[in-house]
C-alpha cells in the first residue's frame, strides 16, 4: 500500500506531514517509508514460500545502514559488488552465510575480507577471477564456495544501460567458455562449485525473457551435475520492474510463479537478488522551487535538488513523477515545463517536457520513485553537500543519514594545503 498520500491539502508519508518535515530538515531530502519497506519484503518472501528460496537484497540499490537493517531483519541476505557494500551488509546485520559477492572487478583486498567473513559464495565472472580467488583461498587455508555467473545472451527488453545478459555487456561468462572453467575448478581444491547463476537486466516489465533465461539455466544445471559437480543453488538474479509512470510491472506472485516453475525440476534451491522492486517506491525526494524562468520555448522550474541528488533522468533518460506537496498544481493552466536543478549542466534535470500548472517560488515538490538508485548514486558535484535520508515510521521519523555540511566537503583537503 502506498504510504505517500494526500490528507486534506497536504501530502503525508505514513503519518508524518511532508511540509512540516521539510521545514524541520530542509530540502533537498530523501524520505523513506518503513512500513512500505517491510510490506514489500514480507510480500516477496510470502510469494516464494512454496519453494526453497533465499532472497539477497542488491545493496547497490539503497545502501543506507538503517534501511539495510530493516531488510536483513526480515530474513533477507545481501547481494554485493564491492568491499564497501560487504562492510555495510555486515554492519547492518546480514548473516555472512546469506551473502553473495558478485561483480566483474573484485580486488584482492575485497576477496580476502570476504573469505575472512565466510560469505555464502562468490559469483565468478572471469577465468582470471577464478584463479585469483583460488590462490587467495589456498593461501588462507580456506575453501571458497563459488557460483559461475553465466551470460545467457538474452535481451531483457529494458534500458540498454541496465541490460546485463547479452554478449555485448561485460557481465558473466558465455556457455561455450564453461568447459575450460570446469577443468580449472577440478584442479583447484580450494574451490567448491555450488551453483550457477545469471542476471539479465533491471527494471524488467516482461517475464518472458526471465522465463527463457531460467529454462536455459535449468538445462545447463542438469548438464553440469552430470559432470560430477554437486550443485546446490541456481541464482536467477533480480531485475523485477516497478511503476514510475504508467508501466504495468508483473506482480511479485507472478514473478515467483514464473521462476519456481522453471527451477523446481532441478531440485536446486533458488537465489534471487531483488533491489529496485523492494525499495524503489518506498522513497521520494523532497525539493523546493527556487524560481520559474520563462524562455521562448518553455518554462524552467528551477529547484534546489539536482542531478547530483538524482542522476537517473540524466543517465538513463528515466521518468519520475513530480508532484506539488501542497497539492496546488491541480489548479491553473498547464504549461510546458522542465524541472531542473542549479547545476551547471544542460543535462541537470529531474523532469522534461511536463505539462503542468506553474508552481511558485517556495513551493515544495515531491519526486516519486527515489528509493532505488537515488541516494546510493548521489555525488557532491558542484560542491553540493549530499541530502539527508529520513526514515519514517508511523508518526515519527529518524535521520538515517544527516545532511552533509559544506565544511565536510573539504575537511580531508585542508591538511594538504600549503
Amino acid at each position: 500500500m502506498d504510504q505517500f498520500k494526500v490528507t486534506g491539502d497536504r501530502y503525508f508519508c505514513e503519518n508524518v506531514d511532508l511540509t512540516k518535515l521539510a521545514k524541520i530538515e530542509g530540502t533537498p531530502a530523501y524520505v523513506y517509508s518503513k512500513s512500505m519497506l517491510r510490506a514489500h519484503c514480507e510480500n516477496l518472501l510470502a510469494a516464494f514460500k512454496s519453494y526453497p528460496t533465499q532472497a539477497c537484497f542488491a545493496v547497490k540499490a539503497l545502501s543506507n545502514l538503517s534501511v539495510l537493517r530493516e531488510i536483513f531483519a526480515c530474513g533477507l541476505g545481501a547481494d554485493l559488488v564491492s568491499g564497501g557494500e560487504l562492510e555495510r551488509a555486515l554492519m547492518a546485520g546480514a548473516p555472512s552465510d546469506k551473502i553473495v559477492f558478485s561483480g566483474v572487478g573484485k580486488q584482492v583486498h575485497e576477496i580476502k575480507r570476504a573469505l575472512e567473513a565466510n560469505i555464502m559464495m562468490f559469483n565468478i565472472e572471469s577465468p582470471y577471477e577464478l584463479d585469483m580467488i583460488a590462490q587467495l583461498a589456498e593461501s588462507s587455508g580456506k575453501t571458497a564456495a563459488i557460483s559461475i555467473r553465466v551470460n545467457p545472451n538474452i535481451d531483457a527488453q529494458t534500458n540498454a544501460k541496465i541490460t546485463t545478459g547479452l554478449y555485448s555487456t561485460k557481465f558473466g561468462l558465455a556457455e561455450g567458455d564453461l568447459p575450460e572453467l570446469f577443468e580449472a575448478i577440478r584442479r583447484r581444491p580450494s574451490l567448491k562449485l555450488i551453483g550457477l547463476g545469471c542476471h539479465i537486466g533491471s527494471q524488467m516489465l516482461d517475464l518472458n525473457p526471465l522465463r527463457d533465461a531460467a529454462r536455459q539455466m535449468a538445462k545447463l544445471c542438469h548438464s553440469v551435475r552430470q559432470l560430477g559437480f554437486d550443485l546446490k543453488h541456481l541464482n536467477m538474479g533480480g531485475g523485477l520492474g516497478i511503476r514510475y509512470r504508467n508501466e504495468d510491472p508483473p506482480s511479485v506472485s507472478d514473478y515467483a510463479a514464473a521462476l519456481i516453475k522453471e527451477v523446481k525440476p532441478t531440485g536446486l534451491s533458488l537465489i534471487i537478488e531483488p533491489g529496485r522492486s523492494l525499495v524503489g517506491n518506498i522513497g521520494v525526494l523532497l525539493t523546493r522551487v527556487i524560481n520559474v524562468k520563462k524562455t521562448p520555448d518553455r518554462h524552467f522550474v528551477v529547484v534546489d535538488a539536482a542531478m547530483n541528488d538524482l542522476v537517473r533522468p540524466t543517465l538513463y533518460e528515466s521518468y519520475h513523477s513530480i508532484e506539488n506537496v501542497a497539492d496546488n498544481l491541480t489548479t491553473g493552466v498547464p504549461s510546458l515545463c522542465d524541472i531542473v536543478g542549479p547545476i551547471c549542466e544542460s543535462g541537470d534535470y529531474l523532469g522534461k517536457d511536463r505539462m503542468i500548472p506553474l508552481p511558485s517560488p517556495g513551493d515544495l515538490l515531491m519526486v516519486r520513485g527515489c528509493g532505488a538508485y537515488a541516494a546510493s548514486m548521489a555525488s557532491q558535484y558542484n560542491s553540493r553537500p549530499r541530502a539527508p535520508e529520513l526514515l519514517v515510521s508511523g508518526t515519527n521519523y529518524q535521520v538515517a543519514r544527516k545532511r552533509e555540511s559544506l565544511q565536510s566537503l573539504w575537511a580531508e583537503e585542508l591538511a594538504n594545503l600549503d
Side-chain angles (χ1 to χ4, degrees):
M1 179 181 177
D2 187 7
Q3 290 295 330
F4 294 91
K5 53 189 182 294
V6 176
T7 301
D9 62 351
R10 291 186 175 182
Y11 258 106
F12 284 71
C13 175
E14 299 190 21
N15 295 310
V16 172
D17 185 331
L18 292 179
T19 300
K20 292 181 179 179
L21 183 61
K23 287 181 179 178
I24 295 171
E25 298 296 340
T27 55
Y30 307 100
V31 181
Y32 309 132
S33 166
K34 184 183 288 189
S35 68
M36 285 182 72
L37 174 62
R38 286 178 174 171
H40 289 177
C41 291
E42 290 167 1
N43 290 341
L44 177 79
L45 296 177
F48 283 90
K49 67 180 180 181
S50 67
Y51 191 78
T53 303
Q54 178 58 57
C56 295
F57 176 68
V59 175
K60 62 181 179 290
L62 179 52
S63 56
N64 183 279
L65 289 175
S66 295
V67 174
L68 292 178
R69 180 174 292 177
E70 293 294 327
I71 292 171
F72 300 146
C74 287
L76 281 80
D79 163 50
L80 317 165
V81 293
S82 75
E85 289 184 353
L86 172 60
E87 297 302 336
R88 281 184 174 274
L90 293 172
M91 282 189 287
S96 59
D97 61 355
K98 294 182 180 180
I99 292 177
V100 178
F101 201 146
S102 300
V104 301
K106 303 177 188 70
Q107 300 179 67
V108 169
H109 69 277
E110 295 173 322
I111 296 169
K112 285 183 175 180
R113 178 68 179 106
L115 287 168
E116 178 185 277
N118 294 315
I119 66 168
M120 179 184 185
M121 64 184 180
F122 294 92
N123 235 350
I124 300 294
E125 304 211 30
S126 71
Y128 177 83
E129 178 186 326
L130 181 84
D131 289 339
M132 184 166 56
I133 292 175
Q135 292 173 18
L136 293 171
E138 185 176 358
S139 63
S140 64
K142 291 181 175 289
T143 299
I146 62 171
S147 173
I148 298 174
R149 178 172 177 175
V150 178
N151 185 325
N153 199 35
I154 290 176
D155 190 348
Q157 303 295 320
T158 185
N159 188 293
K161 293 181 180 178
I162 51 178
T163 292
T164 58
L166 293 172
Y167 289 159
S168 57
T169 70
K170 65 183 179 181
F171 299 99
L173 289 149
E175 190 171 334
D177 296 330
L178 298 185
E180 186 176 346
L181 206 67
F182 293 145
E183 289 306 312
I185 293 171
R186 292 185 194 279
R187 294 193 301 267
R188 309 304 291 259
S190 60
L191 298 178
K192 183 178 182 181
L193 180 63
I194 63 170
L196 299 179
C198 73
H199 177 75
I200 63 173
S202 186
Q203 185 54 12
M204 289 188 291
L205 301 173
D206 182 357
L207 289 176
N208 286 321
L210 189 64
R211 287 190 185 96
D212 292 342
R215 192 174 301 120
Q216 183 173 326
M217 291 301 301
K219 183 179 179 180
L220 179 59
C221 285
H222 176 72
S223 299
V224 173
R225 292 170 107 177
Q226 288 188 320
L227 295 175
F229 291 100
D230 186 19
L231 300 183
K232 305 293 185 183
H233 313 284
L234 174 50
N235 185 340
M236 286 305 303
L240 182 63
I242 65 171
R243 180 176 290 113
Y244 285 105
R245 189 177 189 177
N246 54 9
E247 302 94 336
D248 186 21
S251 68
V252 68
S253 57
D254 287 345
Y255 169 64
L259 284 180
I260 291 172
K261 180 182 178 181
E262 303 300 336
V263 175
K264 190 173 184 178
T266 69
L268 299 173
S269 72
L270 175 61
I271 296 175
I272 55 172
E273 297 169 346
R276 185 195 317 267
S277 60
L278 292 184
V279 299
N281 283 329
I282 72 160
V284 301
L285 175 63
L286 295 181
T287 182
R288 201 170 291 280
V289 177
I290 298 173
N291 66 69
V292 179
K293 176 181 177 180
K294 187 179 186 304
T295 73
D297 186 65
R298 67 190 61 214
H299 288 85
F300 288 91
V301 178
V302 184
V303 298
D304 61 4
M307 62 186 287
N308 75 297
D309 303 299
L310 179 63
V311 75
R312 294 190 72 254
T314 301
L315 185 61
Y316 304 124
E317 298 82 40
S318 60
Y319 181 98
H320 287 259
S321 174
I322 301 175
E323 303 172 49
N324 195 308
V325 171
D327 202 34
N328 62 8
L329 276 184
T330 58
T331 61
V333 179
S335 299
L336 180 63
C337 296
D338 286 1
I339 295 88
V340 302
I343 281 178
C344 191
E345 298 277 353
S346 294
D348 176 29
Y349 63 90
L350 304 181
K352 291 178 71 70
D353 301 322
R354 306 295 175 91
M355 289 298 297
I356 59 173
L358 292 178
S360 301
D363 279 1
L364 182 64
L365 305 184
M366 175 178 72
V367 186
R368 290 270 198 165
C370 290
Y373 306 107
S376 66
M377 297 179 78
S379 73
Q380 299 167 338
Y381 186 43
N382 276 198
S383 289
R384 288 171 51 87
R386 287 180 297 173
E389 295 176 88
L390 312 173
L391 183 58
V392 173
S393 179
T395 58
N396 301 309
Y397 73 92
Q398 69 181 89
V399 179
R401 182 171 62 84
K402 68 179 183 179
R403 186 184 305 280
E404 289 181 330
S405 66
L406 282 173
Q407 291 72 25
S408 70
L409 300 186
W410 49 74
E412 299 298 323
E413 302 168 38
L414 286 175
N416 298 316
L417 292 178
D418 293 332

